[in-house]
Each structure stands twice: as C-alpha cells, then as structure tokens.
Amino acid sequence: MLSFIEIIIVKIKYRKIVFQNVGKNSVFKLWNSSFIYPENISIGDNVYVGPGAYFDATGDLVICNGVIFGPEVTIYTRSHNYDSTCLEALPFDQKMVVAPVVIKEYVWVGTKVIILPGITVGKGAVIAAGAVVTKDVPEYAVVGGNPAKVLKYRNRERFEELASSQEPFVYNKKGHGKEFITKEKLLNK
C-alpha cells in the first residue's frame, strides 16, 4: 500500500504521461519506470510492462497486442551521432540519430533486455533475459546473448493455433497465478 506521500509523488511524476495510444487491458508499473516522449508510444491490447521499464520513444515506439515485458527492460529509439564522416565533436556530437522500434504481437521480452534503435521484433518472438538486441528479430525466434542471436524457433503451428483461439492472451486466459513444474514433467505430459 502506497503512503500518502508516495501517492502524491506518483501523481506529480506521471501527471503528464499521455501515450499516443493505449489498448484495453494494458498494465504498466509506472512507479519506477520512465517513458521518454510517451506521446510517441503506441500500445496495443493486453500489454504488460514490468517494473523499472525505460522506454525512450524519441523516434517512435509501437508495441502490438499481447506483448509482455519483464522487469527493467530498456528500449532506445535514438543514439548519438558518432559517425566519423560527419562528426563535429568527440566522442559524439549534438546530433541524435532516431529510428523507430516495433514490437509485434505476442512477444515476450525478458528481464533487463536492451533493444536498440531501428529494431523490429517479429510476432511470437521471445527475447531471453539480459539480451542486447542489435538487429531485427525474426517471427517465432527465441534470441539471447549480447549481441542477441537466434537460439531456436518456437513451434509455429502451435503458436498460430493458440493465436487464433477466442482468448489467447495468458493473463486473460489463465490469470496471473503461477504453476511451478519441472521441465521433465512438462515434456512428459
């Protein structure tokens, strides 16, 4: 439960946060998150943004339906100009290079992931905790590492079967409760 002082701080800090678009059933952990240029952030239905998010949408950020972000995810849509052919100061100059980031449907972004400017994350992809995404992620790919590389692909047929069902989004279908099971038991079902 937030104290009266904490409630006042939250109201002051987030009084001007107005996203370009927010779909239904989207949840944000605003208390310790930062949204830079929130008017450039478009959010679909059933999006969950975990605590400690840092989304810099200077160059536009599109988050499609059913995306889940773990805690402390960072997304950049701008970078300093450091290109030596047009550089005016060192180590970089005052110019900011912007490029949009697009996160497609039903992507799961793990804890402490960093996504750099100009990236498109394909539908159904999974980004492992701690990954640094420096290039586009294909549909249904599971990526991890620094820089993030494709580790494997999800089962496309099962994904599409679930996506076409009446209510595919995990929190609407199963709630927020967790069931703990070993990998061996899961594979032997």
Side-chain angles (χ1 to χ4, degrees), residues 7-54:
I7 291 169
I8 297 301
I9 291 170
V10 168
K11 287 184 177 183
I12 290 169
K13 181 178 179 184
Y14 295 105
R15 72 184 180 279
K16 293 184 180 177
I17 296 226
V18 178
F19 295 105
Q20 182 181 68
N21 178 60
V22 177
K24 66 180 182 199
N25 300 324
S26 292
V27 176
F28 311 92
K29 301 298 183 181
L30 292 174
W31 173 243
N32 59 353
S33 295
S34 295
F35 301 97
I36 313 304
Y37 292 99
E39 66 273 13
N40 296 340
I41 301 175
S42 178
I43 300 170
D45 297 339
N46 301 313
V47 170
Y48 176 86
V49 179
Y54 181 87

Coordinates of all heavy atoms in Angstrom, one line a residue, residues 7-54:
I7 N 1.9 8.5 -3.0 CA 0.8 8.8 -3.9 C 0.9 10.1 -4.6 O 0.8 10.3 -5.8 CB -0.6 8.6 -3.3 CG1 -0.8 7.1 -2.9 CG2 -1.7 9.2 -4.1 CD1 -2.0 6.9 -2.0
I8 N 1.3 11.1 -3.8 CA 1.5 12.5 -4.3 C 2.7 12.5 -5.3 O 2.6 13.1 -6.3 CB 1.7 13.5 -3.1 CG1 0.5 13.6 -2.2 CG2 2.1 14.9 -3.6 CD1 -0.8 14.0 -2.9
I9 N 3.8 11.8 -4.9 CA 4.9 11.8 -5.8 C 4.6 11.1 -7.1 O 4.9 11.6 -8.2 CB 6.1 11.1 -5.1 CG1 6.6 11.9 -3.9 CG2 7.2 10.8 -6.1 CD1 7.6 11.2 -3.0
V10 N 3.8 10.0 -7.1 CA 3.4 9.4 -8.3 C 2.6 10.3 -9.2 O 2.8 10.4 -10.4 CB 2.7 8.0 -8.0 CG1 2.0 7.5 -9.2 CG2 3.6 7.0 -7.4
K11 N 1.6 11.0 -8.5 CA 0.7 11.9 -9.3 C 1.5 13.0 -9.9 O 1.2 13.4 -11.0 CB -0.4 12.4 -8.4 CG -1.4 11.4 -8.1 CD -2.6 11.9 -7.3 CE -3.6 10.8 -7.1 NZ -4.8 11.3 -6.4
I12 N 2.5 13.5 -9.2 CA 3.3 14.6 -9.8 C 4.2 14.1 -10.9 O 4.3 14.7 -12.0 CB 4.2 15.3 -8.7 CG1 3.3 16.1 -7.7 CG2 5.3 16.2 -9.3 CD1 4.0 16.5 -6.5
K13 N 4.9 13.0 -10.7 CA 5.8 12.4 -11.7 C 5.1 12.0 -12.9 O 5.6 12.2 -14.0 CB 6.5 11.2 -11.1 CG 7.5 10.6 -12.0 CD 8.3 9.4 -11.4 CE 9.2 8.8 -12.4 NZ 9.9 7.6 -11.9
Y14 N 3.9 11.5 -12.8 CA 3.2 10.9 -14.0 C 2.0 11.7 -14.5 O 1.3 11.3 -15.3 CB 2.8 9.5 -13.7 CG 4.0 8.6 -13.6 CD1 4.4 8.1 -12.3 CD2 4.8 8.3 -14.7 CE1 5.5 7.4 -12.2 CE2 6.0 7.5 -14.5 CZ 6.3 7.1 -13.3 OH 7.4 6.3 -13.1
R15 N 1.9 12.9 -14.0 CA 0.7 13.8 -14.4 C 0.7 14.1 -15.9 O -0.3 14.3 -16.4 CB 0.7 15.0 -13.5 CG 1.7 16.0 -13.9 CD 1.6 17.2 -12.9 NE 2.6 18.2 -13.2 CZ 3.9 18.2 -12.9 NH1 4.3 17.2 -12.1 NH2 4.7 19.2 -13.2
K16 N 1.9 14.1 -16.5 CA 1.9 14.5 -17.9 C 2.1 13.3 -18.8 O 2.4 13.5 -20.0 CB 3.1 15.5 -18.1 CG 2.8 16.8 -17.5 CD 3.8 17.8 -17.8 CE 3.5 19.2 -17.1 NZ 4.6 20.1 -17.4
I17 N 2.1 12.1 -18.3 CA 2.3 10.9 -19.1 C 1.0 10.6 -19.9 O 0.0 10.2 -19.3 CB 2.7 9.7 -18.3 CG1 4.0 9.9 -17.7 CG2 2.7 8.4 -19.2 CD1 5.0 8.9 -17.7
V18 N 1.1 10.9 -21.2 CA 0.0 10.6 -22.1 C 0.5 9.9 -23.3 O 1.3 10.4 -24.1 CB -0.8 11.9 -22.5 CG1 -1.9 11.6 -23.5 CG2 -1.3 12.7 -21.3
F19 N 0.2 8.6 -23.4 CA 0.7 7.8 -24.5 C -0.1 8.1 -25.8 O -1.3 8.6 -25.7 CB 0.6 6.3 -24.2 CG 1.4 5.9 -23.1 CD1 0.9 5.6 -21.8 CD2 2.8 5.7 -23.2 CE1 1.7 5.2 -20.8 CE2 3.6 5.3 -22.2 CZ 3.0 5.0 -21.0
Q20 N 0.5 7.9 -27.0 CA -0.2 8.1 -28.2 C -1.5 7.3 -28.3 O -2.5 7.7 -28.7 CB 0.8 7.7 -29.4 CG 0.2 8.0 -30.8 CD 1.2 7.5 -31.8 OE1 1.5 6.4 -31.9 NE2 1.7 8.5 -32.5
N21 N -1.4 6.0 -27.9 CA -2.5 5.1 -27.9 C -2.2 4.0 -26.8 O -1.1 3.6 -26.7 CB -2.6 4.4 -29.2 CG -3.8 3.4 -29.3 OD1 -4.9 3.8 -29.0 ND2 -3.4 2.2 -29.5
V22 N -3.3 3.7 -26.1 CA -3.2 2.5 -25.1 C -4.4 1.7 -25.3 O -5.5 2.1 -25.2 CB -3.1 3.0 -23.7 CG1 -3.1 1.8 -22.7 CG2 -1.9 3.9 -23.4
G23 N -4.2 0.4 -25.7 CA -5.3 -0.5 -25.9 C -5.9 -1.0 -24.6 O -5.4 -0.7 -23.5
K24 N -6.9 -1.8 -24.7 CA -7.6 -2.3 -23.5 C -6.8 -3.3 -22.7 O -6.0 -4.0 -23.3 CB -9.0 -2.8 -23.8 CG -9.0 -4.0 -24.7 CD -10.3 -4.6 -25.0 CE -10.1 -5.8 -25.8 NZ -11.1 -6.3 -26.6
N25 N -7.0 -3.4 -21.4 CA -6.3 -4.3 -20.5 C -4.8 -4.2 -20.5 O -4.1 -5.2 -20.2 CB -6.8 -5.8 -20.9 CG -8.2 -6.0 -20.8 OD1 -8.9 -5.4 -19.9 ND2 -8.8 -6.8 -21.7
S26 N -4.3 -3.1 -20.8 CA -2.8 -2.9 -20.7 C -2.4 -2.4 -19.3 O -3.1 -1.6 -18.7 CB -2.3 -2.0 -21.8 OG -2.5 -2.5 -23.0
V27 N -1.3 -3.0 -18.8 CA -0.9 -2.7 -17.4 C 0.5 -2.2 -17.4 O 1.4 -2.8 -18.1 CB -1.0 -4.0 -16.5 CG1 -0.5 -3.7 -15.1 CG2 -2.4 -4.5 -16.5
F28 N 0.8 -1.1 -16.7 CA 2.1 -0.5 -16.6 C 2.5 -0.4 -15.1 O 1.7 0.0 -14.3 CB 2.1 0.9 -17.2 CG 1.5 1.0 -18.5 CD1 0.1 1.3 -18.6 CD2 2.2 0.7 -19.6 CE1 -0.5 1.3 -19.8 CE2 1.6 0.8 -20.9 CZ 0.3 1.1 -21.0
K29 N 3.7 -0.7 -14.8 CA 4.3 -0.5 -13.5 C 5.0 0.9 -13.5 O 6.2 1.0 -13.7 CB 5.3 -1.6 -13.1 CG 4.7 -3.0 -13.1 CD 3.5 -3.1 -12.1 CE 3.0 -4.5 -12.1 NZ 1.9 -4.7 -11.2
L30 N 4.2 1.9 -13.4 CA 4.7 3.3 -13.5 C 5.6 3.8 -12.4 O 6.4 4.7 -12.7 CB 3.5 4.3 -13.7 CG 2.6 4.1 -14.9 CD1 1.4 5.1 -14.8 CD2 3.4 4.5 -16.1
W31 N 5.4 3.3 -11.2 CA 6.1 3.9 -10.1 C 7.6 4.1 -10.3 O 8.1 5.1 -10.0 CB 5.8 3.0 -8.9 CG 6.6 3.4 -7.6 CD1 7.5 2.7 -7.0 CD2 6.5 4.7 -6.9 NE1 8.0 3.4 -5.9 CE2 7.4 4.6 -5.9 CE3 5.8 5.8 -7.1 CZ2 7.6 5.6 -5.0 CZ3 5.9 6.8 -6.2 CH2 6.8 6.7 -5.1
N32 N 8.3 3.1 -10.8 CA 9.7 3.3 -11.0 C 10.1 3.1 -12.5 O 11.2 2.7 -12.8 CB 10.5 2.3 -10.1 CG 10.1 0.8 -10.4 OD1 9.2 0.5 -11.1 ND2 10.8 -0.1 -9.7
S33 N 9.2 3.4 -13.4 CA 9.5 3.3 -14.8 C 9.6 4.7 -15.4 O 9.1 5.7 -14.8 CB 8.4 2.6 -15.5 OG 8.3 1.2 -15.1
S34 N 10.3 4.8 -16.5 CA 10.4 6.1 -17.2 C 10.0 5.9 -18.7 O 10.4 5.0 -19.3 CB 11.9 6.6 -17.2 OG 12.3 6.8 -15.8
F35 N 9.2 6.9 -19.1 CA 8.8 6.9 -20.5 C 9.1 8.2 -21.1 O 8.5 9.3 -20.8 CB 7.3 6.6 -20.6 CG 6.9 5.3 -20.0 CD1 6.4 5.3 -18.7 CD2 7.0 4.2 -20.7 CE1 6.0 4.1 -18.1 CE2 6.6 2.9 -20.1 CZ 6.1 2.9 -18.8
I36 N 10.1 8.2 -22.0 CA 10.6 9.5 -22.6 C 9.8 9.7 -23.9 O 9.8 8.8 -24.7 CB 12.1 9.4 -22.9 CG1 12.9 8.9 -21.7 CG2 12.7 10.7 -23.4 CD1 12.7 9.7 -20.4
Y37 N 9.2 10.8 -24.1 CA 8.4 11.1 -25.2 C 7.2 10.1 -25.3 O 7.0 9.4 -26.3 CB 9.1 11.2 -26.6 CG 10.0 12.4 -26.6 CD1 11.4 12.3 -26.4 CD2 9.5 13.7 -26.9 CE1 12.3 13.4 -26.4 CE2 10.4 14.8 -26.9 CZ 11.7 14.6 -26.7 OH 12.6 15.7 -26.7
P38 N 6.4 10.0 -24.2 CA 5.3 9.0 -24.2 C 4.3 9.2 -25.3 O 3.6 8.3 -25.8 CB 4.7 9.2 -22.9 CG 5.1 10.5 -22.4 CD 6.4 10.8 -23.0
E39 N 4.2 10.5 -25.8 CA 3.3 10.8 -26.9 C 3.7 10.1 -28.2 O 2.9 10.0 -29.1 CB 3.2 12.3 -27.1 CG 4.4 13.0 -27.6 CD 5.4 13.4 -26.5 OE1 5.2 13.0 -25.3 OE2 6.3 14.2 -26.8
N40 N 4.9 9.5 -28.3 CA 5.3 8.7 -29.4 C 5.2 7.2 -29.2 O 5.8 6.4 -29.9 CB 6.8 9.1 -29.8 CG 6.9 10.5 -30.2 OD1 6.0 11.1 -30.6 ND2 8.1 11.0 -30.1
I41 N 4.6 6.8 -28.1 CA 4.4 5.4 -27.8 C 3.0 4.9 -28.0 O 2.0 5.5 -27.5 CB 4.8 5.1 -26.3 CG1 6.2 5.5 -26.0 CG2 4.6 3.6 -26.0 CD1 6.6 5.4 -24.6
S42 N 2.8 3.9 -28.9 CA 1.5 3.3 -29.2 C 1.5 1.9 -28.7 O 2.4 1.1 -29.0 CB 1.3 3.3 -30.7 OG 0.1 2.7 -31.0
I43 N 0.5 1.6 -27.8 CA 0.4 0.4 -27.1 C -0.9 -0.3 -27.5 O -1.9 0.2 -27.4 CB 0.5 0.6 -25.6 CG1 1.9 1.3 -25.3 CG2 0.4 -0.7 -24.8 CD1 2.0 1.8 -23.9
G44 N -0.8 -1.6 -27.9 CA -2.0 -2.4 -28.2 C -2.7 -2.9 -27.0 O -2.4 -2.5 -25.9
D45 N -3.6 -3.9 -27.2 CA -4.4 -4.5 -26.2 C -3.5 -5.5 -25.4 O -2.6 -6.1 -26.0 CB -5.6 -5.2 -26.8 CG -6.6 -4.3 -27.4 OD1 -6.6 -3.1 -27.1 OD2 -7.3 -4.8 -28.3
N46 N -3.9 -5.7 -24.1 CA -3.3 -6.8 -23.3 C -1.7 -6.7 -23.3 O -1.1 -7.8 -23.4 CB -3.7 -8.2 -23.8 CG -5.2 -8.3 -23.8 OD1 -5.8 -8.0 -22.8 ND2 -5.8 -8.8 -24.9
V47 N -1.2 -5.6 -23.1 CA 0.2 -5.4 -23.0 C 0.6 -5.3 -21.5 O -0.1 -4.6 -20.7 CB 0.7 -4.1 -23.7 CG1 2.2 -3.8 -23.4 CG2 0.5 -4.3 -25.2
Y48 N 1.6 -5.9 -21.0 CA 2.1 -5.8 -19.7 C 3.5 -5.3 -19.7 O 4.4 -5.9 -20.3 CB 2.0 -7.2 -19.0 CG 2.6 -7.2 -17.6 CD1 1.8 -6.8 -16.5 CD2 3.9 -7.5 -17.3 CE1 2.3 -6.8 -15.2 CE2 4.4 -7.4 -16.0 CZ 3.6 -7.1 -15.0 OH 4.1 -7.0 -13.7
V49 N 3.7 -4.2 -19.0 CA 5.1 -3.6 -18.8 C 5.5 -3.7 -17.4 O 4.9 -3.1 -16.5 CB 5.1 -2.1 -19.2 CG1 6.4 -1.5 -19.1 CG2 4.6 -1.9 -20.7
G50 N 6.5 -4.5 -17.2 CA 7.0 -4.8 -15.8 C 7.7 -3.6 -15.2 O 7.9 -2.5 -15.8
P51 N 8.0 -3.7 -13.9 CA 8.6 -2.5 -13.2 C 10.0 -2.2 -13.7 O 10.7 -3.0 -14.2 CB 8.6 -3.0 -11.7 CG 8.6 -4.5 -11.8 CD 7.8 -4.8 -13.0
G52 N 10.3 -0.9 -13.5 CA 11.7 -0.4 -13.9 C 11.9 -0.3 -15.4 O 13.0 -0.2 -15.8
A53 N 10.8 -0.2 -16.2 CA 11.0 0.0 -17.6 C 11.6 1.4 -17.9 O 11.3 2.3 -17.2 CB 9.6 -0.1 -18.3
Y54 N 12.4 1.4 -19.0 CA 12.9 2.7 -19.5 C 12.7 2.7 -21.0 O 13.4 2.0 -21.7 CB 14.4 2.9 -19.2 CG 14.9 4.2 -19.7 CD1 14.9 5.3 -18.9 CD2 15.5 4.3 -21.0 CE1 15.3 6.5 -19.4 CE2 16.0 5.5 -21.4 CZ 15.9 6.6 -20.6 OH 16.4 7.8 -21.1

